[in-house]
Amino acid sequence: MKVKEYTHILVDYNEGVTVITINRPSKLNALNIETIKELHKAFKRAEKHKETKAIIVTGSGDKAFVAGADISEFADFSISQGERLASEGQALLFDFVAYLSTPVIAAINGFALGGGLELAMAAHFRIASDNAKMGLPEVSLGVIPGYGGTQRLPQLIGKGRAMELIMTASMIDAQQALQMGLVNYVTTQEELLPLAHKLADKIKRNSSVAIAAAIEAINAGFDVSENGFDAEITAFGKCFGTADFVEGTQAFLEKRKPNFPGK
Ligand code: COA
């Protein structure tokens, strides 16, 4: 089922999985404000859509996932406009995605630079095609990553490597990203979406409420205002009040596959 009301993105739902494709190939899928707003809407809808058990985000064409925030939109911004750009972007898209309770897989099909890598890093995990190139080149433009990149890159690959990548504005290829743990798998371009669907299908078999609790607990560990271990205890306890837990444990004891109600 395709949703037709967007200009810069494509949204397609099929068998429990919503695929969101950023679709500005002539601009290498650069994120302008309108695209960020459309992505916010699409992710929000997918999260509310009970049948969606996993979300895949990717870029259209064979060249780019997203080549960054749209430089033409902010080149003449003032200090306060710059600050607002980052805070609104983080709230609408990057933090929004990171804190979704529906799992988000980024399928990086080419350049993931600046805001593009930041979007991929906000997703819950990443896979890449073998032509992918990743980096945070903002200092080459006289600015720094503003959509969470200075925080999420060190969380994913370690402080020293993140410092180097950000300071040198270098790009790494898919194999280097794999070695650093920035992406979980590398495959050919043709196999990228099939692999994303295979992973989504595995996710779909499990309890969506338990997965939501796990995302919450994992995210809490990276939030300085929270104690991750305490958040895990609370989220763990909450699972005991769910129908999925009753079904999951009963199915195990009855030696059958669970049929999770998702509540
Ligand atoms: N913002 C706005 N437009 C962008 C863009 C971005 N981040 N990245 C690419 N584009 C546009 C180009 O301006 C060009 O548009 P045009 O055809 O109207 O001139 C089009 O996308 C194709 O890009 P082009 O640079 O011609 O492709 P390339 O293959 O020569 O180079 C890149 C590819 C990714 C190396 C290069 O586009 C690039 O360096 N982009 C910016 C990356 C960046 O700094 N991102 C961080 C932003 S904070």
Side-chain angles (χ1 to χ4, degrees):
M1 184 187 64
K2 290 199 189 306
V3 183
K4 290 219 167 78
E5 68 192 79
Y6 301 106
T7 309
H8 304 302
I9 64 172
L10 306 169
V11 181
D12 195 7
Y13 168 80
N14 196 23
E15 291 185 10
V17 181
T18 292
V19 180
I20 300 175
T21 306
I22 298 137
N23 189 32
R24 297 181 77 209
S26 67
K27 295 290 173 194
L28 302 185
N29 303 323
L31 294 177
N32 59 2
I33 308 280
E34 276 310 306
T35 307
I36 289 180
K37 285 184 180 161
E38 289 190 2
L39 283 167
H40 172 77
K41 217 183 210 182
F43 277 109
K44 194 172 178 178
R45 282 195 179 157
E47 171 91 338
K48 280 198 179 144
H49 183 238
K50 286 275 165 273
E51 286 78 35
T52 291
K53 302 295 179 196
I55 302 168
I56 296 169
V57 58
T58 193
S60 75
D62 55 11
K63 206 170 161 189
F65 172 73
V66 170
D70 192 321
I71 300 167
S72 65
E73 275 191 348
F74 61 75
D76 61 356
F77 272 14
S78 65
I79 292 174
S80 61
Q81 285 175 307
E83 205 176 308
R84 198 161 59 235
L85 181 74
S87 70
E88 287 180 0
Q90 289 192 19
L92 278 177
L93 185 58
F94 300 85
D95 271 3
F96 190 76
V97 166
Y99 288 96
L100 285 182
S101 57
T102 311
V104 182
I105 304 170
I108 304 173
N109 56 311
F111 288 114
L113 300 174
L117 182 55
E118 288 172 303
L119 176 60
M121 292 193 296
H124 298 126
F125 63 92
R126 290 142 294 285
I127 63 175
S129 56
D130 47 20
N131 65 317
K133 292 241 169 6
M134 286 158 252
L136 294 178
E138 284 85 348
V139 298
S140 71
L141 297 166
V143 67
I144 66 166
Y147 288 146
T150 64
Q151 306 305 299
R152 292 197 177 99
L153 189 63
Q155 286 168 3
L156 287 163
I157 68 171
K159 186 175 169 186
R161 282 177 171 151
M163 285 277 192
E164 180 188 337
L165 212 56
I166 290 171
M167 287 173 188
T168 59
S170 308
M171 285 189 216
I172 55 170
D173 64 23
Q175 283 302 333
Q176 288 171 298
L178 182 67
Q179 276 164 16
M180 291 179 186
L182 186 54
V183 301
N184 295 6
Y185 301 94
V186 174
T187 184
T188 60
Q189 252 197 341
E190 297 70 44
E191 283 303 311
L192 185 67
L193 280 182
L195 174 61
H197 280 284
K198 207 165 133 194
L199 292 162
D201 286 344
K202 272 191 161 183
I203 289 170
K204 258 163 49 182
R205 282 184 228 138
N206 299 314
S207 160
S208 53
V209 280
I211 288 173
I215 294 172
E216 194 184 328
I218 293 168
N219 277 339
F222 292 95
D223 183 339
V224 285
S225 67
E226 286 208 57
N227 178 315
F229 288 95
D230 288 346
E232 183 184 273
I233 291 166
T234 309
F236 180 78
K238 260 201 269 174
C239 292
F240 286 73
T242 68
D244 273 11
F245 175 74
V246 174
E247 169 60 12
T249 47
Q250 279 303 311
F252 177 81
L253 295 172
E254 291 165 12
K255 300 193 187 305
R256 61 175 172 81
K257 277 198 167 24
N259 183 14
F260 290 114
K263 293 191 281 199

